[in-house]
Amino acid sequence: MSLRSAPLAVEAPERARDGLFTPEIRAQIDAHVAKYPPEWKQSAVMPALTLVQEWNGGWLTRELMDDVAAYLDMPPVAVYEVATFYGMYDLEPVGRHKIGVCNSVSCLLCGSEDLIHHVERKYGVRPGETTADGRFTFKEVECLGACRHAPAVLVGKTYHECLTPEALDKLIEELD
Amino acid sequence: MVEDQNSVCFRTLHLKEPWALASYRSVGGYAQWEKILKEKTDPAKIIDELKLSALRGRGGAGFPTGLKWSFMPRSAPGQKYIVCNSDEGEPGTCKDRDILRYNPHQLIEGMAIAGYCIGATVGYNYIRGEFYEPIDRFEAALKEAYEAGLIGKDIQGSGVDFDLYTHCGAGAYICGEETALLESIEGKKGQPRFKPPFPAQFGLYGRPTTINNTESLASVPVILEKGGQWFLEQGRPNNGGPKLFSVTGHVERPDNFEVPLGTPFKDLLAMAGGVKGGKRLKAVIPGGSSVPVVPGDLMLQTDMDYDSIAKAGSMLGSGAVIVIAEGTCMVKVLANLAHFYAHESCGQCTPCREGTGWLARVLHRILNGQGRPQDIDLLDGVAGRIGGRTICALGDAAAMPVQSFLQHYRHEFEYMVEHGGRSLAEAA
Amino acid sequence: MTDKLSIEIDGRVCEASPGEMIIAVADREGIAIPRFCYHKKLSIAANCRMCLVEAEQGGRPFPKPVPACATPVAAGMKVLTRSPKALEAQRGTMEFLLINHPLDCPICDQGGECELQDVAMGYGGDVSRYSEGKRVVKDEDLGPLVATDMTRCIHCTRCVRFGAEIAGVRELGATGRGEDMRIGTFVAHTLTHELSGNIIDLCPVGALTSKPFRFKARSWELTQAEGIAPHDAVGSNLHLHLRGNQVMRVHPKDNEAVNETWISDRDRFSYEGLASPDRLTEPMIKEDGAWRPIGWQDALIRVAERLKTASADQIGTLIAPTATLEEMYLAQKLTRGLGATAVDSRLRQQDFRGDAADPPLPWLGVPIAELETRDAVLLIGSDIRQEQPLLAHRLRKAALGGAGIVLVNPLPLELTFPAQQLVTSAAGMLGELAAIAKALRKRGSGSVKDLIAQANPTDRHTSAAERLKAAGTERSGLILLGALAAAHPDYTLLKALAYVIAEATGSTVGYLPLAANSAGAYLAGALPHVLPGARPGEAIGADARAMLVTARKAYVLWGVEPSYDFANPSLAATALGSADLVVAATAFRAPSLEAVADLMLPIAAFAETSGTFVNAEGTWQRFQGAVAPPGEARPGWKVLRVLGNLCDLPGFEYADSGEIHQELATLCAEVRPDNAPRGDLKVEPSLAEAGLMRVGTLPIYRTDPLVRRAAALQRTPGADVFAVGLNPALAADVGLADGELAVIRQGKAEARAAVVLDAALPPDVALIPSGVTGSEALGEQIGPVAVAKA
């Protein structure tokens, strides 16, 4: 869709931005904003959502998206568009950890299906679900770009490669 | 066997802490950039050198990099941008991740030179969000480069400015499409723009912009150091240089190999230890999941360069070589690919939004034993109506695997339809 | 770059401009190319892929079919829109569009006028190859105006682009990705923009349809008539869709010079008021406090007799500014024929001291379409989006094009474009303008001179002055006076200052006429100081306020609802209540009317009578009656004709309304819109600086009797809310908290309303809307007020 290269900036009535998030997060968002031309604050929407999501325990509430919109002078719906488009944003509560098993072709050829079935059976979660104990949210993810050590699994922020079901179990056991 | 490995993007790989500035300096890193700053080299000369090198875009499309740079209205007033595409996500491709992890400074130097050549004082490196470790490495390298005065304002008193920033993705394959990537930097959904206008006229923030792949940009310092002619000679005419190949799937030692373009596939396969378990080679997807599949026998007679692979009916793409061994069900592989494109379609163009899901559903149904004889022609027909009809190439990327799988392995699909979901390949 | 070039489409040589898209050339040539996402007023999206065509350039064919909407022409280009390749591409897209479409045409309101249906007839297959499950999308409630069936959505994104580009408020978005992409607000909420109904027209399928029209009729049962919108001073051109004798819905009719391709929601949905149970369907008379029907003959004879016997200086005629030109003309002709001079249609004005200097025909100052090309606009006293939605849209275009827009208002506005807002108290508006004048080194004379002398210009005033001055040198500056200025106790001084600033900057002064025919009142002579043909009257009669302050014995009310249509409803109620005779010609019954009237004459409303409206730019727009008025109601001009005859007045022998129109047109033949004042505007300020002032805005759906009875519009949020907006500091002073009930006093007039705190309000402003339920007993729309804890 071609809302071409004009910032969506809204003339929002001056809203108290000082109260949003935490001073640390505001400083981090500001650091991102500084990378882009001044009229393009919205360029920082992705890092801002990422920071806020992490602060909120891994997922975004509508209120937080609205806050990001207010902080960056964006219409809320433009933030919803971004948050629903990119796969790394979660809009539902998640577990304490996120485990993403790559399901793309190289990993498929190297046994990712076994990993997925194993997790489904052993932990009773289907992709998109969170274990009953809230330990982790299980996801199937598209190519992680770690094909040479397939199958690859993203646990939190760390790649684990050449995994077998047993090795994955060990990783999961180590999670709190 | 191939002798001259790891001569360009992986030239620091043998060092301890290859990502560090000192390591990069030790192989001659930043010498080209400093020379340019000192001599104020004519950008046209650099671009000519690149043209001579026959470096072709390493992201997948294979467009000559020098030519791309020459499209920029270098001396037009106003801000211009250089953007690096590190949104590596084409299934089978894992090379840029390793450049970011092991040789980030070479990318920085390449981007600085590119910025100099096209008149851009600001650059962004768009790295996919899942690459936590590579992002950290790149950010650390950026910090080192700033601290060493290699980038920033009035670099080394030259009057040249170049600021470089990281922009992180958040999980969308489509942002690897260059204009979707620009939209993403602009804080929007990553939906590709229609062309014209092209980014060289109307790019990031509506300003002239050049977007290059990580490997392309990282190759530039070495081309300048050793000369365009040297690079060209590493490969073949019109296919300059060594290239990174990610050899994955059914091989004994999957890995990235930086070898000259034109290296015979069978040599590359041998470097990866051959087909896993000594099985027969069934098929190869030679350039990332988007390109047509090539039967194994044909592949064994093919060399790894753009033109040779085109002759074999496929494309070199990103250089991701997905090896498929005998005994693999091709219906299942295609269903996996179709699922991927349906999941990653951005949703704006009708044929791709609606068609990719349709393909995935039909294939899923066939796998589940509910295929119908007419489904096979249907798949071909639907793919034919997606390819070439969309704003970006994702439509083609979704269509080509379907068409090529049906061309070469139609009997497997027919068998499965007739046998209620039983796989011919796995039964054999 | 203006050189034309030629291309060939389907073998036909077509002239084109460089940069033009193929589809624009084809449209001009009448060559049909199917499309869904393309719309001439929206940015190009190129996403539906329906307009794929085959093309070649310099003998080399493009390798793939190209989208006609996004492919610029080039000299010598050859385009094939119906070649086998083009057709195959178009059929392919059609198949994809239909696989997830529910094909529920029999129960879809869009059926019969659906772009998808139409194109599918040409390009769709007979039998679907799709046998998988279809997509189902949950609907969102977008409020009372727009119905959603999002399962039908084909993702053309026209509605999203409309919001971002035209409305300037991104309420809708496309969330999600791929086939899960959804059009909506994401968190269901009511669309609040005043132009939101246009997405109904833009939607090529039945995903967004009119909620009031839902399941009311099939499109093929409807006939189409033309009309002119009866609310604001734009006079949007309309298509009225009729079934039998009923207006079923209203659509815009393209007119680039007036409404382009849009209409406001007020213009689109006010027709619902026509079917209000309040409609007066037969003449009625009040006897012993009770209303009973009476025949027309009887009623008119009684009216004529009592008017004839009334003393001429005791007759006052008050005409709604939404009356037609013909009605206004005859109403004043009747009044003046009876020897009376008190006739007015400026019911929301209180300061008439400038009448003697009034320009002969105050108007916008520039053609409507030229608003968008102004370089600087100073808007004085206007809640522009509520007053004139489509003029706000034109100003938005100007602002996006780089124009500087400055507003001087007693309240902050929520605008959809960048502008500088000088928000001050009602009295302070004079000071703000004086400061701008001072920044321009103008001194003025009389009281204006004093105001300017006292002013202290700041950077804001200097920058506003400079913007206007820069624009003025290009003859591109404009100073507009809006409805809040017209309702201001010092309207005359606001005008005087506007002219001072205009002179200093070379800008044009313009007026935003309040209603559909406010400008026409000057031509028809429906004013105490103006005779037909916009001729200045020799003796100035009593104005709308004077007629109420000094109560008359007899009043003629034309289309007026006393509780909501006057600047000071309590004053009106008192004056009308004390009269011997109140004759009300009205389309609607209303309690405030029945309380004071003796006779009610049912007249035709919008779409039921022929007539003429003169819009803000002075364009006469004539229309025919599309449906018959209900019951015994009659077109107003006929009622006045008979009354004239019964009063034995000459010149009331009209065979049809065309003759009235012609007579007036002849009188106006020489009249040109002109905003040059004819005299002196120097008067003393009537407002003291100190003290709390009521600022009474007129909410968008409370402007006239018809729209106040349009059910769906009344259900929109905030349509009819009576409240007191106060600055928190002021509220704290009088001990009022948010949501608390306050008692509002304007002299003896009193009302109660809840407090809404708003830190953006000036400290001496009480924002108390007029025209809304609850406001009937209050006094001046803008005037002193006291607010206390109830």
Side-chain angles (χ1 to χ4, degrees), chain C residues 50-62:
Chain C
M50 193 65 224
C51 68
L52 293 173
V53 294
E54 200 182 342
E56 65 167 70
Q57 177 68 57
R60 285 213 313 272
F62 287 90

Side-chain angles (χ1 to χ4, degrees), chain B residues 189 354 361 372 385 389, chain C residues 49 95 100 131 174 179:
Chain B
K189 295 180 289 180
E354 307 293 345
R361 283 196 181 84
R372 292 183 289 248
R385 285 185 152 179
R389 308 278 173 84
Chain C
R49 316 307 285 176
E95 177 175 38
N100 274 310
S131 58
E179 62 177 15

